[in-house]
């Protein structure tokens, strides 16, 4: 009997589940919008008769995906000073009898012109009813898929969690309400949706009522607001901000929003953004804020703990390597059946879940869980796994039944990008290491 097999018999991380459903599997099959939501969305889109809807929804999708953070004022100022210094140096080398004031004016104009040409011009999104319908056609199904996949992490790993209250910040079309209802059903008794856009709130309400003003909403106890509840003492079991941080102007606004949302969190805070470099960096900034920032007045002293996807609370190794690549995941989904939409699409997203509570599901002793950060490559009798590990390092592990254990190998073959993979600790020459 091999050493790996002996170790495997001592460590039970499967908890009676088959390998294809081991505790680290949180991926979902192709998602479809709830029937009531899909029917309501198709009715609203059909009645709106938006001209060139397929083209406009495609353009909006591309625009939102390629959107970057606004350039910070300090960064812009530093760039201007550096550029001005460079232009002055060039001017002094070939300066003739040009008046100094005239030269200064020319350089200032050149600096402004260059900054206008090279700086990303961020503008806030303003949705009227028509643009809201375009957004519905473009992003309803994809946004639902990303949020539902992130929530599945909580549902799978903390099965006793049954939230009674939900706060959705930047609620848009209300996809978070639908995703959370599909996860926890009627355990949710109060859902507060906050969005500054009146037209979006109206569209979200129409979706809940099946596009029938006189009908009862399909999901009850949903309340729409344009501002966050004022009292810092009011908390919600589940707080979500999906594709919202990217709509805030600068680092300071995002930091204040994250701290405010954390104050309102009783159990879990879920943040979701596009799976781009900027989306990932915003989430890592939020993570740093929650783990390191000390507020003057604290109403809930329970500390923040990173629940997912990071298996550690050390600096993100993805940001430590140049060129940086985003830590993102993907979820297959069926888009709304509209012209120009294929049968299946892939939503690529980044997410962060932070908790105040210890999950009810105890983890097996002697096992660490790494996060798979790329597609798993299954080969003959071995599996290539690229992971973010509990020690804060990225690792490319080749898993075999001989080198590791039969259970680890079969779990690796059954896992995919975004799942957690068990890493059994073993003792070699008196030193405890992970199974490699």
């Amino acid at each position: 009997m091999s050493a790996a097999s002996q170790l495997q018999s001592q460590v039970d991380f499967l908890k009676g589940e088959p390998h294809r459903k081991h505790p680290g599997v949180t991926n979902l099959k192709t998602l479809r919008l709830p029937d009531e939501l899909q029917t309501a969305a198709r009715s609203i889109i059909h009645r709106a008769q938006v001209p060139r809807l397929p083209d406009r929804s495609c353009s909006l999708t591309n625009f939102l995906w390629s959107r970057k953070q606004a350039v910070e004022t300090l960064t812009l100022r530093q760039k201007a000073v550096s550029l001005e210094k460079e232009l002055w140096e060039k001017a002094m080398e070939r300066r003739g009898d040009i008046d100094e004031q005239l030269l200064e004016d020319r350089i200032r104009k050149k600096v402004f012109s260059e900054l206008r040409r090279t700086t990303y011009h961020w503008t806030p999104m303003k949705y009227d009813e028509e643009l809201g319908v375009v957004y519905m056609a473009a992003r309803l199904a994809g946004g639902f898929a990303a949020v539902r996949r992130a929530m599945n992490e909580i549902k799978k790993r903390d099965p006793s969690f049954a939230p009674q209250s939900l706060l959705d910040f930047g609620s848009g079309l209300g996809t978070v309400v639908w995703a959370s209802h599909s996860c926890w059903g009627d355990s949710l008794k109060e859902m507060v949706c906050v969005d500054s856009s009146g037209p979006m709130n109206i569209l979200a309400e129409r979706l809940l009522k099946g596009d029938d003003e006189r009908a009862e909403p399909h999901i009850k106890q949903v309340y729409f607001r344009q501002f966050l509840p004022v009292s810092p003492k009011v908390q919600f079991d589940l707080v979500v901000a999906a594709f919202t941080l990217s709509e805030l102007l600068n680092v300071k606004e995002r930091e204040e929003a994250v701290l405010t949302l954390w104050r309102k969190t009783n159990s879990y805070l879920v943040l979701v953004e596009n799976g781009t470099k900027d989306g990932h960096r915003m989430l890592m900034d939020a993570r740093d804020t929650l783990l390191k920032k000390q507020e003057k007045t604290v109403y809930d002293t329970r500390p923040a703990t990173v629940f997912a996807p990071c298996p550690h609370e050390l600096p993100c190794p993805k940001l430590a390597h140049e060129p940086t690549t985003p830590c993102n995941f993907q979820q297959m989904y069926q888009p709304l059946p509209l012209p120009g939409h294929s049968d299946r699409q892939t939503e690529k997203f980044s997410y962060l879940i932070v908790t105040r509570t210890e999950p009810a599901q105890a983890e097996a002793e002697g096992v660490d869980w790494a996060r798979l950060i790329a597609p798993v490559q299954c080969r003959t009798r071995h599996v290539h796994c690229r992971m973010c590990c509990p020690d804060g390092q990225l690792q490319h592990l080749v898993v075999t039944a001989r080198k590791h254990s039969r259970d680890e190998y079969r779990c690796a073959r059954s896992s995919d990008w975004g799942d957690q993979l068990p890493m059994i600790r073993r003792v070699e020459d008196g030193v405890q290491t992970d199974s490699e």
Side-chain angles (χ1 to χ4, degrees):
M1 192 175 184
S2 71
S5 299
Q6 287 177 346
L7 189 63
Q8 167 196 325
S9 64
Q10 299 166 17
V11 181
D12 176 26
F13 57 82
L14 287 169
K15 303 192 182 302
E17 293 286 351
H19 296 92
R20 70 180 185 279
K21 294 182 180 178
H22 71 79
V25 173
T26 49
N27 268 307
L28 294 166
K29 293 180 180 177
T30 303
L31 286 172
R32 185 177 186 274
L33 289 173
D35 290 341
E36 299 84 0
L37 177 57
Q38 180 156 294
T39 301
R42 292 181 70 182
S43 171
I44 291 171
I45 291 168
H46 177 72
R47 286 171 61 178
Q49 293 293 305
V50 175
R52 300 186 302 106
L53 182 62
D55 291 342
R56 289 176 67 182
S57 74
C58 183
S59 297
L60 181 61
T61 300
N62 293 337
F63 172 74
L64 293 173
W65 177 260
S66 61
R67 207 161 179 230
K68 301 184 186 302
Q69 297 179 48
V71 180
E72 297 291 320
T73 305
L74 179 61
T75 305
L76 200 58
R77 193 176 292 127
Q78 289 170 341
K79 191 175 177 181
V81 169
S82 173
L83 187 58
E84 187 176 6
K85 183 182 176 184
E86 183 185 324
L87 291 172
W88 267 112
E89 286 172 357
K90 286 181 181 177
M92 296 309 287
E93 286 174 6
R94 55 174 185 266
R95 182 181 175 184
D97 296 328
I98 301 175
D99 178 72
E100 189 165 326
Q101 184 62 47
L102 183 61
L103 184 59
E104 188 176 329
D105 290 343
R106 282 183 183 176
I107 287 175
R108 186 178 290 113
K109 284 180 182 177
K110 179 71 173 173
V111 167
F112 284 136
S113 172
E114 191 65 15
L115 287 178
R116 274 195 295 270
R117 189 180 68 82
T118 59
T119 302
Y120 179 76
H121 298 285
W122 186 91
T123 53
M125 291 295 297
K126 292 182 179 177
Y127 290 95
D128 54 17
E129 186 180 347
E130 185 171 277
L131 188 56
V133 172
V134 174
Y135 182 85
M136 187 184 296
R139 295 291 304 133
L140 183 69
F144 174 86
V147 174
R148 179 66 183 81
R149 165 63 184 86
M151 286 180 174
N152 196 53
E153 195 78 25
I154 302 172
K155 188 169 177 61
K156 177 75 182 277
R157 291 172 53 198
D158 190 2
S160 66
F161 178 64
Q164 294 195 353
S165 56
L166 164 76
L167 172 64
D168 179 10
F169 178 62
S171 53
L173 296 171
T175 47
V176 167
V177 164
W178 289 90
S180 56
H181 186 264
S182 71
C183 258
W184 293 288
D186 295 331
S187 84
L188 285 157
K189 305 300 182 192
E190 179 191 19
M191 288 164 273
V192 177
C193 295
V194 179
D195 200 295
S196 59
S197 170
M200 283 297 240
N201 288 337
I202 292 168
L203 283 172
E205 202 160 6
R206 285 175 66 186
L207 286 171
L208 284 172
K209 291 185 175 184
D211 197 25
D212 182 352
E213 285 183 11
R214 294 164 296 178
E216 284 289 310
H218 175 68
I219 303 171
K220 296 176 175 59
Q221 283 86 41
V222 181
Y223 307 98
F224 292 93
R225 304 280 185 271
Q226 285 188 287
F227 304 98
L228 279 167
V230 175
S231 173
K233 295 180 182 178
V234 175
Q235 287 190 318
F236 298 81
D237 294 333
L238 183 64
V239 177
V240 185
F243 309 103
T244 303
L245 295 182
S246 50
E247 294 300 323
L248 301 177
L249 177 60
N250 53 39
V251 170
K252 187 172 184 294
E253 281 192 21
R254 287 192 289 273
E255 185 177 283
E256 286 174 358
V258 166
L259 288 172
T260 300
L261 294 175
W262 181 242
R263 281 195 295 272
K264 298 194 174 302
T265 302
N266 182 41
S267 294
Y268 288 98
L269 171 62
V270 180
L271 305 175
V272 181
E273 289 295 333
N274 284 330
T276 58
K277 287 184 182 181
D278 278 19
H280 172 229
R281 191 174 290 277
M282 283 181 211
L283 294 178
M284 291 303 97
D285 288 345
R287 179 179 180 264
D288 288 344
T289 296
L290 294 174
L291 293 178
K292 298 172 184 176
K293 190 89 172 179
Q294 293 294 323
E295 289 197 88
K296 291 177 183 176
T297 307
V298 179
Y299 294 95
D300 190 333
T301 56
R302 291 174 296 166
T305 303
V306 176
F307 182 78
C310 317
H312 58 81
E313 294 185 352
L314 297 163
C316 177
K318 282 263 190 175
L319 295 179
H321 297 86
E322 291 291 343
T324 60
T325 55
C327 181
N328 55 25
F329 307 94
Q330 63 179 22
Q331 176 61 52
M332 299 293 290
Y333 68 94
Q334 290 182 8
L336 285 168
L338 299 170
H341 285 184
S342 57
D343 289 342
R344 287 202 312 173
Q345 291 183 10
T346 302
E347 177 72 8
K348 195 170 279 190
F349 65 98
S350 297
Y351 74 102
L352 174 70
I353 303 177
V354 182
T355 182
R356 290 192 192 271
T357 60
E358 287 297 323
Q361 183 186 27
E363 306 217 333
E365 279 188 42
V367 178
D368 288 324
W369 294 87
R371 180 73 61 177
L372 290 161
I373 55 170
V376 171
Q377 296 172 311
C378 294
R379 300 290 184 261
T380 306
R381 289 184 295 204
H382 67 279
V383 185
H384 289 270
C385 300
R386 290 167 178 81
M387 309 177 297
C388 184
C389 299
D391 62 0
Q393 299 298 315
L394 300 178
Q395 185 179 356
H396 177 188
L397 187 67
V398 181
V399 182
T400 66
R402 183 179 181 83
K403 192 176 179 183
H404 299 86
S405 73
R406 179 173 166 275
D407 279 344
E408 281 181 280
Y409 172 67
R410 291 187 65 184
C411 283
R413 291 194 79 88
S414 303
S415 302
D416 207 350
W417 183 6
D419 288 333
Q420 287 184 299
L421 191 67
M423 301 175 71
I424 297 178
R425 297 187 214 114
R426 61 185 179 184
V427 178
E428 290 181 357
D429 302 324
V431 180
Q432 182 170 285
T433 64
D434 284 327
S435 176
E436 295 179 0

